[in-house]
Amino acid sequence: MGKSILYKYLDAKGGLMMLYYSNLQFTNATKFNDPFDCHPALFDFSNVPETKYNWPPKDFLKLKGETDMENQRNNTWISCFSKVYDSLLMWAYYNGHKGVCIGLNKEALLECLQYKFFGLYFPFAEEVKYKDIIPKVDYFNEHPSWLELLTTKAKDWEHEQEVRLITIEPAWIDAKRCIPDEFKGEELVDGKEIRHYPSISSDCFESLYLGIKISKEDKEKLIKVAKKLNPNIKIYQMTIDPDALRLKGEIIES
């Protein structure tokens, strides 16, 4: 059975930083671009079960369900990957073909993060499910898993073939205080704005794919830092396959 590889699309600077520091970014579940992503609106909270003497009151139970799901979202940090390295769309909107795609060994990655005891729960991998959001899941009567909240996206995103590493309440020792400029100088900072960067071992880095339009300078820097991190990393240059209107990777370092 072959290795499972997860792919991370980044611009050249992001790829260089990830390789140089040998770490992985986790982002709060409330901070994704898709407004439906991890949103409690995926559930229907209206069918509150009957209780004797209406106690607890229905309004209370409905609010508690909504609050529980919102809190779950607030306390969750996620790192996103793809199952493919040659998606035209992913290369286009993540880095305009000028960046990189880093391949990570899934098993080595999970073992490394679990060894670090990164959060309240060990980070675990889940594939995203794509579907039309309606009909909603009945929160009270269908007993949905909270994972449905974290791994359901609209079909418009299906091309991403996304896999997520998920952790709950990550240890703040791995938060490198990456606070957006607009929050600098404020007395209080929204904790959800802070990214977490747990370090990972060099053997997690299986491959590096360089974009078709990457600059010569960025290419040289990335190859140098990648080989220093893991001499066994496989490095590919993405090229055009004109016969199939698709991308292909040609190995340049192995």
Side-chain angles (χ1 to χ4, degrees), residues 8-24 95 98-102 197 205 207-210 214-229 233 235:
K8 191 83 168 176
Y9 289 85
L10 299 158
D11 60 22
K13 181 180 178 181
L16 192 63
M17 292 298 98
M18 182 175 175
L19 292 163
Y20 181 81
Y21 291 107
S22 189
N23 61 19
L24 190 61
N95 55 49
K98 298 177 182 179
V100 300
C101 180
I102 297 176
Y197 295 88
F205 293 85
S207 51
L208 172 66
Y209 295 82
L210 304 165
I214 195 167
S215 70
K216 181 180 178 181
E217 181 183 7
D218 286 338
K219 180 175 179 176
E220 290 174 350
K221 287 180 181 178
L222 283 155
I223 290 175
K224 182 179 180 180
V225 73
K227 296 299 286 186
K228 182 177 180 181
L229 171 64
I233 194 170
I235 303 178

Side-chain angles (χ1 to χ4, degrees), residues 89-173:
L89 288 174
M90 298 281 276
W91 276 105
Y93 61 66
Y94 272 95
N95 55 49
H97 297 275
K98 298 177 182 179
V100 300
C101 180
I102 297 176
L104 296 140
N105 183 312
K106 176 183 172 183
E107 288 71 27
L109 189 58
L110 288 172
E111 182 179 356
C112 181
L113 291 173
Q114 289 175 0
Y115 177 76
K116 286 175 62 63
F117 195 59
F118 174 50
L120 181 63
Y121 291 96
F122 291 137
F124 54 93
E126 290 287 333
E127 291 191 19
V128 170
K129 299 175 291 293
Y130 302 94
K131 63 181 181 180
D132 295 326
I133 293 176
I134 297 174
K136 296 182 180 182
V137 177
D138 188 325
Y139 177 81
F140 291 102
N141 297 305
E142 296 182 34
H143 306 293
S145 164
W146 61 269
L147 278 177
E148 291 189 53
L149 176 73
L150 303 174
T151 59
T152 299
K153 294 182 73 172
K155 278 188 174 292
D156 285 354
W157 299 99
E158 199 165 15
H159 64 276
E160 292 188 334
Q161 299 187 50
E162 186 177 343
V163 177
R164 293 182 160 180
L165 294 190
I166 301 169
T167 189
I168 313 300
E169 297 185 15
W172 286 93
I173 193 171

